[in-house]
Amino acid sequence: MPCIAVRPPGEGQSGLQDAHKRMLGPLAPIFRRFGWPPHSIRTKVALLTLVVVLLPLLGTAFFGQWLTSGVLQDRALVQATDTLEKQARELEAFLENARQDVRYLAQLHSMRQLLYARQHGKVVEAIYWQRQLAEDFRIFARTHPTYYQIRFLDDQGQEVVRVNQPLGQEPYIVPAAQLQNKAHRYYFREAARLRPGQIYISPLDLNREHRTIERPFHPVLRYATPLYWGETWMGVLVVNLHAQPLLDMLYENDARRRLAGETLLVDQEGYYLFHPDPAKRWGSPHDLNTGESLTRDAPEIAAQVLSGRSGAVAYRDEVWVYLPIYPAPEERPDYYWVLIQREPRAQLFAAVGSFRLLAGGVLALAVGLAVLATWWAARTVTQPVQQLAQAVERLGQGDLQVRVPPTGGDELGQLMAAFNRMAEAIRQDMEHLQWLHEGTLALTQQLDLCQALRIAARTLARLLHAPWVAVYRIDGQGLWHDTPAHHGPAPRVGSPRQGPPWPQAQPVQRIPAVVGQGTWWAVYLHWRRTQGYVLCLPFDPARDDARAHGWMTVLAHQAETVLKNIYLYVSLQEHREQLSDLLSRVIRAQEEERKWVAYDLHDGLIQLLVGVRLHLNNYLLLRDRASDEAQAALEQAVQELQQAIREGRRLIQGLRPTVLDDLGLAVAVREMAERMAREHGWQLTLELEVPRRLSFVVETTAYRIVQEALSNVRKHAQARKVLVRLWVEGERLFGLVRDDGRGFDPEALEPLPPAAHSARPGIGLRSMRERARLLGGVWRIESRPGQGTSVRFWLPLPTGDEDHDPTHSRHRGR
C-alpha cells in the first residue's frame, strides 16, 4: 500500500504566499500595503472601479489632446489668415477711394467746361476754365493730402494743368513754364487706349522727375483716365498717389502686433514693395534694379506664393500666409500684388504647445486623484456616510427640510449633528435671502426716494423680526428729522434734534436711543455729501449680533446704492433738460446765421448782377455802331452773368430753403424732391402726412436728413425709383427715403479712423445719425449690394401743442 504524505493545515497557503513573494520580488511590501493580492470585496470593487475610470479617462484624454491640438493649429492659421485679409481689405479700400476720386475729378464742372471750350476753339473761355480747373485741383488736393500730383494732359501729352503737393506740404499750381510733355510716359500711352470711364492704374514704383528717380525715394501709384467730349478724345487726367501712406498701414499693423512675425508686400514678379529691411525694397528693373525679390530669398515656395491664389505654406522654421490684392480688378484683373505674413512656427503654434503641457499636467493630476479617491473611498465609505451623502445631495437640490439622524457620539455622529445644524442655518439664511432679494428687487424698481426708504425699512423689519423701524433724515448740521417712511409704531423726534455723529467707517452702529431709553441699531445711508438717512430699530439681546450685523450691512449697501442711483437719475434728468435747451439754442443760432447770409446774397449780389445784365442788354439793343468782336464779348458777358445769378440762387437755396420757413416741412420736402427727380429722371413717390407745422428744430433736422439722403441717392445710387415718406404718429415724426439703386454694405463704411473721414464716403451718413441723435431720435440705414437703400428715422416732437416758431420767419425784422 503506497504511503500518502499529509500536509499540515496552512502549509498550502504558505506556499502560495511564497510564490507571490517570489513573483513580486522587492515590490511585494508595497503591494501588500495596498491590499494585494485582493482578498476583500472592497478591494476588488476598488480595482474594478479604478480600471473602469482610468481606461476611458486615458483614452478620452489622449484623443481629446490629439483632436484639440489639430483644432488649435487650424484656428491659429485661420486667425493669421483673418488678420491678413483685414489688412488686404484696408489696402483695397484705400485704392478704391482713389479710383472714386479720379472719377469725381474727371466730372468736375470746370473740367467739362474746359473740354468744351478747347473742342470748340474758344480761347478766352479755355483760359478762364483752365485757371478755374487749376484752382479746383488745388482745393481738392488740400483736402486730400495723399495725392502727390493732379494733372490734365492734352491729346499730345502736354501738361495743361498741374498741381503738386509734396508730402506734408501745401499744394501749389505749377507755372506754365514748368509744365512738361509726358507723351513718352507709359501711363499716358496706356490711358489713351482706354474707353470713356475706364481707369488705368500704374505699377507701384518710385517717382521720376526729368527721367531720374527722385531722392529721397518717393513711391507713387498713378491713376489715369481718358477725357472725351462727345466722341472726341481730348486728353488724359493723371493723379499721382502718395504710396507711402499705403505702405505705412503695414508699418502700423506690424507695430500693433508686437510679435516676431513680419509683413511683406511683393508685386506680381516677386519684387518687394514693402519689406522690414529697406535694402530689399524696390529691386525691380523699373526701380533700383538690385534684384532683391521673393524668388531669390525663397525660391522653393516663390511660385506657389506668386500663383495669384491665397493660402499658407510652411517654409523652414516659419509659416507663410499669403493673399493676392488686385489694385485694378475691373481694368486689369490679371494684375495683382501679394500680401504676405510670415511668423515663426513656434510663435504661431505656441497655444498648441501650452495646451499639450497643460493637458498632460491635468491628466496626470486627474489620474493621481482618481487612484487616491478610489482607494480611499473603498476603505472608508460606510452606510452612514452614504446616508450623509444622500442628504447633502438632497440639500444641494433645494430640499431644505432634509435631516440625518445621528448614529452616536463619535466623529461621524458629530458630523451628522453639524450637518443638521448647517441645514437649519441654510434654511433660515435662504429664507432671509429670499426676503432680501424681494426687498432689493423692489428697491431697484424705485425712482421715488420716500418709497425706496419705506421699502428698505419694511425689509429690515422683516429680516430682523423688529416691531418697528424708524427712518430719520440727517442734515448737514447733524440734526435728525422725521420722515414719512417709518415702518410700524416707530418713535418720532418731533422737532429736529441732535443725534450721534455720522460714523466714519461702518454703516451699521449700535447707538443710544435718540427718543426714550435703551439701545438702537442704526443703519446709515449716504445721500448727498454730509446729508443722509438713518434706519433705526430696537436692539434685541436675544438676537445673534453677528448675523444681524451682516444682514443690516448687506441691506445698507443695497439701499445706499439705490439712493445713489436715484440721486444720479434726478441729476441726469436735470442735465438732460439743460442739454436739450442748449442744443435747441445752438441749432437756432446756426440756422439764423445761415438765413441772414442767404438773404444778404439775395438782396445784394443777385440784384446787382441782374441790374448789370439789364444794362448790357440795353446796350446791345441801342448801340449805333460796334464791331463784331464787341458784340461777341457783350453776349459772352451776358451768359456769364446769367450763370452767376443761377449759381447765387442755388447757393441761397442750399444755405436755407425759404420754403421751409414760409410753407413748412411737407412743402419744402416736396419742392426739393420734385426738383431733384426732374433733374435726374427719377420715378418719384411722395407720401407726406404732416398735418401741422412742427417746431423749428424738428422741421430743420428732418429737412436736412431728407436732403442728405436724396443727395446720396443722386451721387451714388443710380436709382430709377425713389420713395420719400413723412408721417406723424403719436409724439414722433417718422421719415423714410428708399431707392432701388445699386445699394452698398453699410458695415464697410464703419468704423473709420478719424483721419479717414475726409477721404472716404460715409460722412453724410454720420451727419444724419448725429442730427437725429442730438434731438433724442433714432436713425438707421438698411442696404445690401444690388438691393437698393432705405434710410429710416424718427424724431421726438415737443410735448404740448408747440407750433413752428414764428420768430424764425424769413421776413423777420423787415
Side-chain angles (χ1 to χ4, degrees):
M1 186 173 177
C3 296
I4 298 176
V6 180
R7 296 180 181 177
E11 185 177 350
Q13 289 182 349
S14 177
L16 184 60
Q17 292 176 356
D18 293 338
H20 278 299
K21 290 181 180 180
R22 290 191 300 271
M23 181 178 63
L24 297 176
L27 299 178
I30 300 177
F31 280 85
R32 283 197 303 272
R33 183 177 180 183
F34 287 93
W36 184 270
H39 297 291
S40 65
I41 297 178
R42 179 183 302 162
T43 305
K44 295 178 181 179
V45 171
L47 291 176
L48 181 61
T49 304
L50 191 62
V51 171
V52 171
V53 170
L54 286 182
L55 287 180
L57 177 63
L58 293 175
T60 303
F62 286 122
F63 176 76
Q65 184 177 9
W66 171 78
L67 182 62
T68 306
S69 297
V71 170
L72 289 176
Q73 289 182 355
D74 294 341
R75 182 179 179 183
L77 288 175
V78 169
Q79 289 178 345
T81 303
D82 290 344
T83 302
L84 198 65
E85 289 179 350
K86 181 179 180 181
Q87 297 182 26
R89 286 194 296 270
E90 292 177 356
L91 298 179
E92 290 174 347
F94 185 92
L95 297 173
E96 180 60 24
N97 286 339
R99 290 162 55 88
Q100 296 299 330
D101 288 342
V102 171
R103 291 191 174 100
Y104 167 76
L105 291 172
Q107 297 300 322
L108 283 176
H109 177 70
S110 55
M111 173 67 79
R112 307 309 300 172
Q113 291 296 327
L114 177 59
L115 296 180
Y116 170 80
R118 292 174 66 90
Q119 171 67 13
H120 293 83
K122 298 184 177 183
V123 179
V124 176
E125 289 187 35
I127 294 174
Y128 170 78
W129 288 111
Q130 179 176 339
R131 295 174 181 173
Q132 188 64 36
L133 179 62
E135 184 63 22
D136 289 347
F137 280 177
R138 187 184 66 83
I139 294 174
F140 181 83
R142 177 179 296 170
T143 59
H144 297 71
T146 56
Y147 294 127
Y148 176 54
Q149 289 180 347
I150 305 177
R151 295 174 287 174
F152 166 43
L153 282 64
D154 62 15
D155 55 354
Q156 301 300 319
Q158 178 62 38
E159 294 178 338
V160 178
V161 176
R162 172 177 172 181
V163 172
N164 288 352
Q165 183 175 218
L167 190 61
Q169 301 180 22
E170 285 291 321
Y172 64 91
I173 301 173
V174 177
Q178 300 179 16
L179 298 179
Q180 306 175 31
N181 188 286
K182 297 293 183 178
H184 63 283
R185 295 294 285 163
Y186 64 92
Y187 52 83
F188 176 79
R189 297 193 299 270
E190 294 292 338
R193 289 196 289 264
L194 298 179
R195 295 189 303 274
Q198 290 187 323
I199 298 177
Y200 170 74
I201 302 179
S202 73
L204 177 58
D205 56 13
L206 298 177
N207 188 53
R208 296 174 180 265
E209 289 295 337
H210 304 287
R211 305 189 180 186
T212 303
I213 294 179
E214 184 180 3
R215 292 180 183 270
F217 297 143
H218 184 193
V220 294
L221 195 62
R222 299 172 181 86
Y223 289 77
T225 185
L227 299 174
Y228 283 83
W229 182 262
E231 299 296 330
T232 304
W233 176 58
M234 302 296 295
V236 174
L237 172 66
V238 181
V239 177
N240 290 9
L241 175 69
H242 287 292
Q244 194 57 46
L246 183 72
L247 303 178
D248 287 342
M249 294 182 182
L250 304 180
Y251 284 108
E252 295 171 359
N253 289 332
D254 276 353
R256 285 197 300 265
R257 293 174 67 250
R258 299 180 181 177
L259 298 175
E262 295 178 343
T263 302
L264 310 176
L265 182 65
V266 300
D267 62 12
Q268 196 168 358
E269 298 177 354
Y271 292 103
Y272 294 112
L273 305 177
F274 174 78
H275 194 285
D277 184 3
K280 291 183 175 292
R281 303 172 194 164
W282 314 112
S284 168
H286 305 293
D287 294 314
L288 302 181
N289 197 22
T290 61
E292 294 289 348
S293 65
L294 180 67
T295 306
R296 174 183 293 182
D297 294 342
E300 297 87 348
I301 63 172
Q304 178 179 352
V305 174
L306 300 176
S307 64
R309 296 185 297 270
S310 60
V313 61
Y315 182 63
R316 296 176 182 171
D317 294 332
E318 297 177 330
V319 175
W320 292 42
V321 183
Y322 52 92
L323 182 71
I325 298 176
Y326 292 86
E330 298 177 2
E331 293 79 4
R332 302 181 64 186
D334 56 343
Y335 174 67
Y336 57 86
W337 304 333
V338 181
L339 185 62
I340 304 171
Q341 181 67 45
R342 64 182 189 186
E343 294 190 23
R345 182 192 298 267
Q347 173 183 295
L348 185 62
F349 299 136
V352 178
S354 301
F355 167 76
R356 290 177 177 173
L357 182 61
L358 178 61
V362 172
L363 178 61
L365 180 61
V367 171
L369 292 177
V371 173
L372 294 177
T374 301
W375 283 102
W376 177 84
R379 292 173 62 88
T380 60
V381 172
T382 60
Q383 185 64 28
V385 174
Q386 293 178 354
Q387 296 177 357
L388 185 60
Q390 293 173 0
V392 171
E393 184 176 0
R394 291 173 56 190
L395 182 64
Q397 293 174 353
D399 185 2
L400 302 179
Q401 305 299 328
V402 64
R403 299 293 183 271
V404 179
T407 59
D410 57 4
E411 292 82 0
L412 193 56
Q414 296 174 5
L415 178 62
M416 293 180 175
F419 170 79
N420 292 336
R421 293 192 299 271
M422 179 189 69
E424 178 62 22
I426 291 176
R427 186 194 66 78
Q428 295 179 4
D429 288 347
M430 290 299 295
E431 186 179 54
H432 283 70
L433 284 174
Q434 180 63 28
W435 295 343
L436 182 62
H437 171 70
E438 294 173 357
T440 303
L441 185 61
L443 278 173
T444 56
Q445 296 174 352
Q446 287 297 324
L447 293 177
D448 181 76
L449 177 61
C450 184
Q451 187 64 22
L453 291 172
R454 187 175 290 112
I455 293 174
R458 183 173 64 246
T459 304
L460 184 58
R462 190 178 185 186
L463 286 174
L464 301 183
H465 305 285
W468 54 265
V469 174
V471 181
Y472 303 109
R473 180 176 62 86
I474 304 177
D475 60 19
Q477 288 74 35
L479 298 178
W480 289 35
H481 304 258
D482 282 315
T483 67
H486 295 311
H487 175 78
R492 300 182 179 275
V493 297
S495 60
R497 66 175 62 184
Q498 193 71 35
W502 194 280
Q504 298 299 323
Q506 292 294 333
V508 179
Q509 301 287 334
R510 284 174 58 181
I511 63 172
V514 178
V515 180
Q517 303 295 324
T519 305
W520 288 355
W521 280 113
V523 181
Y524 291 88
L525 305 175
H526 283 277
W527 171 245
R528 294 183 179 179
R529 297 181 181 176
T530 59
Q531 303 180 27
Y533 294 87
V534 58
L535 279 62
C536 297
L537 67 156
F539 172 74
D540 185 2
R543 188 185 297 120
D544 185 351
D545 287 352
R547 300 177 70 82
H549 190 279
W551 290 119
M552 287 187 287
T553 302
V554 172
L555 182 61
H557 290 315
Q558 296 290 341
E560 188 167 300
T561 300
V562 171
L563 261 61
K564 291 180 179 178
N565 289 339
I566 294 175
Y567 174 71
L568 292 176
Y569 174 79
V570 173
S571 301
L572 181 59
Q573 288 295 101
E574 297 174 354
H575 177 70
R576 284 179 175 174
E577 294 175 359
Q578 296 173 358
L579 182 61
S580 177
D581 181 68
L582 176 61
L583 175 62
S584 177
R585 294 180 182 180
V586 171
I587 293 178
R588 290 176 186 273
Q590 291 176 343
E591 293 302 321
E592 189 70 17
E593 182 181 359
R594 292 177 179 176
K595 287 195 297 183
W596 283 114
V597 172
Y599 300 156
D600 287 343
L601 289 175
H602 180 272
D603 296 337
L605 175 62
I606 299 301
Q607 297 299 328
L608 291 175
L609 292 178
V610 170
V612 173
R613 187 187 66 176
L614 294 175
H615 287 303
L616 292 176
N617 282 332
N618 290 335
Y619 173 78
L620 290 174
L621 294 174
L622 301 176
R623 75 185 187 280
D624 295 327
R625 53 185 178 179
S627 62
D628 294 338
E629 291 80 5
Q631 177 73 15
L634 287 175
E635 291 176 352
Q636 180 63 29
V638 171
Q639 294 177 3
E640 292 180 358
L641 285 174
Q642 291 175 341
Q643 181 178 0
I645 293 172
R646 290 193 298 270
E647 180 66 17
R649 287 175 176 168
R650 187 195 63 80
L651 178 61
I652 293 172
Q653 186 69 14
L655 287 174
R656 179 66 187 180
T658 58
V659 68
L660 180 62
D661 290 329
D662 296 337
L663 302 178
L665 178 62
V667 177
V669 170
R670 178 182 300 275
E671 188 276 337
M672 172 181 62
E674 290 178 349
R675 173 173 51 81
M676 297 183 72
R678 289 193 303 269
E679 293 175 357
H680 303 284
W682 297 338
Q683 182 178 338
L684 180 65
T685 301
L686 291 174
E687 297 179 12
L688 306 178
E689 302 172 5
V690 184
R692 59 186 172 87
R693 294 299 299 272
L694 306 177
S695 69
F696 166 77
V697 175
V698 172
E699 284 192 344
T700 301
T701 302
Y703 181 86
R704 293 303 183 187
I705 292 178
V706 174
Q707 183 183 45
E708 184 62 31
L710 291 177
S711 178
N712 286 340
V713 174
R714 174 178 60 82
K715 294 178 182 177
H716 310 295
Q718 300 178 1
R720 293 174 299 175
K721 298 180 180 180
V722 178
L723 167 66
V724 179
R725 185 185 178 196
L726 292 174
W727 73 98
V728 176
E729 184 175 330
E731 295 300 324
R732 293 178 177 179
L733 171 66
F734 292 82
L736 169 64
V737 178
R738 177 185 296 160
D739 66 79
D740 64 344
R742 61 181 183 179
F744 67 102
D745 183 8
E747 295 181 358
L749 301 180
E750 300 177 357
L752 296 176
H757 288 173
S758 63
R760 297 187 56 179
I763 189 169
L765 304 184
R766 286 187 292 276
S767 173
M768 290 187 283
R769 180 185 294 111
E770 287 301 315
R771 286 181 180 272
R773 186 184 66 82
L774 287 175
L775 290 190
V778 173
W779 176 94
R780 70 176 185 271
I781 188 168
E782 301 170 357
S783 181
R784 296 180 65 184
Q787 299 185 14
T789 303
S790 295
V791 173
R792 303 175 183 269
F793 67 93
W794 65 261
L795 303 175
L797 299 179
T799 57
D801 297 329
E802 179 182 350
D803 292 330
H804 181 73
D805 188 354
T807 62
H808 289 269
S809 170
R810 69 184 298 265
H811 301 290
R812 177 185 177 186
R814 298 182 58 186

